[in-house]
Structure formats: C-alpha cells, structure tokens
Amino acid sequence: MARFLKLRTPILTVALMALLLAVLSACASPQNTFDPKSDATDSILTIYILVTVVASVVGFAVLAAMVWLIIKFRAKPGVPAKQIHGNTKLEIAWTIAPIFILLIIGIPTMYWIAGTAEDPAPNVLEVEATGHQWWFEFTYPGMGLDGGDLITANELVIPVGRDIRVTLYSDDVVHSFWVPQLVGKTDMIPGRTNVLQTFNAYEPGLYYGQCAEFCGTAHALMRFRVNVKTSADFSTWADAHNAGPAAPEPGTAAARGSLGFATCSGCHAISGTAAQGRIGPDLSLFGERSTIAAGILDNTDANLKAWIGDVRSIKPIPEGARFMPTFNDGTLDEGQIADIAAYLNSLTAE
Ligand code: CUA
C-alpha cells in the first residue's frame, strides 16, 4: 500500500497530462501556428520544425551519452575510479560538431530572414493598420473615393493569392499585430512606422487576429479578423464600400436608425453618408462583419444592442477613457438602440 501511495503521484501526473493533451488537440484552433495559411507562416513553421528536430536529436544524444558514462564509469567495489585529465580528440570533436549543428539551423534561418526583406510582387496591396485602445483601424491608401483612403475597422479584408504589405502605426500606446495563421507578430509603436513582413494568403476564409502586447485593461479583448476573399469578392466589397449604402426603405427600423445614427456620427463614419466622425471605428459595410466589439462577439442583433447600450458591461473600459459612452443610461431608449442596430446591420454589400 505504501508503495502504491508513493507511485500514485507520478501516475496521476502522467494521466492528467495525457488527458490535457487529448483535450487540447481536440480544440478547434483558429490561432494554431501549426496550421499555416500563408507563405509567411509556412516558412515560420518550417524553421520551427527544423530547430525542434535538431534540438531533440542533440538533447537525446547528450542524455544517452550521460547514461552510458554513468554506467560505464560507476564506482565498483575494489576498483578505484580512473582519473582522466583532458582528451584532445574529444575536445576537437565537440568543438566541430556544434559548428555543423549551428550551420544546419543557421543557414536556412538566415536565408528566410533575408527573404522577409525582399521586394513584394508589383501588384502588392498596401494597407495601413493603426492600433487604438482598444480596436484596430485599417486604411487602404488610394482605394477610396477619388483616389482617397478607404477606411474600415476590426476586420481586415484582403484578396487571396496577392502579396499584402501592412504598415503599422499606433494612436496611443504600444500594441502588437498578430494573425497566427497568416503572419508573424510585429509591434505597433506610437511615433514609429513598422512594416509587417509581406504575406500571401493561400485560401479564402476568416482568420483570427489579436493584439499581442499588453495595452491596458481591455488588451485581452482587443482582437480582429482577417477576411480573405477571392479577388472578385474583394473588388465587390471595395466598390460597395465606396458607393455607400442605399437609402433604407421608409418606415422601417433601419430607416429610423439611420436618423438616430446622428447621435453616433460625431465619432463614427459611414462611407457615402453624412456620418464622417473619425474618433471611433469606421462602420461602413458594418452588416458584412462577422464580429463586433473588436472581434470578441458574434455580430448578432442581441450582442449589438447590448454593445451599443453599455460597452462597459462587456469590456473593462475605465471611466474617462476615450471610448464609446454608455447610451442606455437614458441617452437612448431600447427602441432607439434597436433601430440603430437594425440600421448598422442593413449596411451590406448587396
Ligand atoms: Cu492593444 Cu494589447
């Protein structure tokens, strides 16, 4: 029994770890770097696997040598331990071997690092991303009306199979831009311009992005999505963005909401309308977005109403921070909030 008790802790530990591994591997993992979906993340994974394999081989070799040495040279009764001072052959071997090992890791790594500085394809899509406490703004220079900027927020829309180069800015504190399946992370630093490594997405879909640098109370809730579209769908989206929304059918909730949106237009812009505020996220084509609240909630009617009513019930936004005010404190009644939600979700590319 005592023997069993002694054994029980390690057995439990192993069993728990096996269970944890099983649970983790069953997760749908939209931020899994082992499932790369662009040329950039593909190279990162290749280097990662190379380094892991080499390090494992070295680790096992050292452990095996240690076990062999411990057994072979252990103290035996009546045999005094042999005293050894230096061994030139060994010294040379374990100086040269690591050089080769480092070359095996170093050459492909340097080759890949040099590749990140290569010029992108001539048809590269340039995008500017700006970090704000606590949301992301995306600007496409020259793609807006009359060659101006096309601006959107919290969902970066890009075409598949085309080089994308994102220039990073911050409006306040240090943030970090990271889309695990598409591109490695780079900081967004106030007063500094960083350029993200060029990447080229393999397939259309919705990818998870995340602020990866602590930036205040709502840091963990500062996310975004990258919506990779076919080339044709991307053009449709940009054209609809610039065209602006059709006037809503009179008498509908969306029509009432379009008037009620005057309350919001000091901070938010909707392309093609009178709303041109630039303090908060641009809301053009809001109905096309899959998420709200900087990527943390599904874009459903209930979530949107809750968000418009009281953002502080959803995110830990400090009072006094430059963020959306609370509107369900008597500023707007439930009906008005519902109308604005209906209007926002009527803003689609159709
Ligand atoms: Cu922005 Cu963390």
Side-chain angles (χ1 to χ4, degrees), residues 132-136 173-176 211-216 218-220 222:
H132 299 266
Q133 276 176 321
W134 290 269
W135 56 282
F136 289 91
V173 299
V174 180
H175 303 274
S176 187
C211 177
E213 180 68 50
F214 182 71
C215 56
H219 154 71
M222 180 174 171

Side-chain angles (χ1 to χ4, degrees), residues 61 67 73 108 171 217 234 242 314 341:
V67 169
F73 295 101
D171 187 38
T217 50
F234 177 71
N242 287 333
I314 293 168

Side-chain angles (χ1 to χ4, degrees), residues 111-321:
Y111 176 78
W112 176 73
I113 290 175
T116 64
E118 263 172 24
D119 285 338
N123 72 340
V124 62
L125 177 68
E126 301 275 1
V127 186
E128 294 170 3
T130 305
H132 299 266
Q133 276 176 321
W134 290 269
W135 56 282
F136 289 91
E137 182 168 40
F138 303 112
T139 303
Y140 305 69
M143 272 186 56
L145 278 180
D146 306 321
D149 291 344
L150 187 159
I151 301 174
T152 186
N154 296 326
E155 278 196 24
L156 172 63
V157 181
I158 56 169
V160 72
R162 184 167 157 194
D163 278 2
I164 312 293
R165 185 161 61 184
V166 186
T167 308
L168 304 171
Y169 303 93
S170 169
D171 187 38
D172 34 50
V173 299
V174 180
H175 303 274
S176 187
F177 184 100
W178 189 30
V179 191
Q181 290 190 304
L182 292 181
V183 65
K185 70 170 91 98
T186 302
D187 280 358
M188 314 172 98
I189 299 173
R192 200 191 137 86
T193 303
N194 276 348
V195 181
L196 193 67
Q197 175 195 358
T198 303
F199 67 98
N200 193 315
Y202 290 159
E203 37 186 279
L206 210 52
Y207 300 91
Y208 283 54
Q210 167 95 43
C211 177
E213 180 68 50
F214 182 71
C215 56
T217 50
H219 154 71
L221 304 175
M222 180 174 171
R223 301 183 200 163
F224 62 104
R225 295 287 187 278
V226 179
N227 190 344
V228 179
K229 288 178 179 288
T230 62
S231 209
D233 286 351
F234 177 71
S235 301
T236 306
W237 172 82
D239 291 345
H241 196 289
N242 287 333
E249 197 106 351
T252 58
R256 290 192 301 274
S258 72
L259 299 175
F261 194 77
T263 315
C264 319
S265 60
C267 295
H268 296 283
I270 293 172
S271 166
T273 73
Q276 292 298 323
R278 282 286 162 226
I279 295 170
D282 187 291
L283 300 177
S284 310
L285 293 185
F286 186 88
E288 293 287 315
R289 296 185 198 167
S290 58
T291 62
I292 62 166
I296 65 158
L297 293 175
D298 288 337
N299 185 3
T300 65
D301 201 42
N303 285 343
L304 185 53
K305 284 189 283 192
W307 178 250
I308 297 170
D310 183 5
V311 293
R312 283 161 187 82
S313 68
I314 293 168
K315 280 191 187 184
I317 308 291
E319 290 300 332

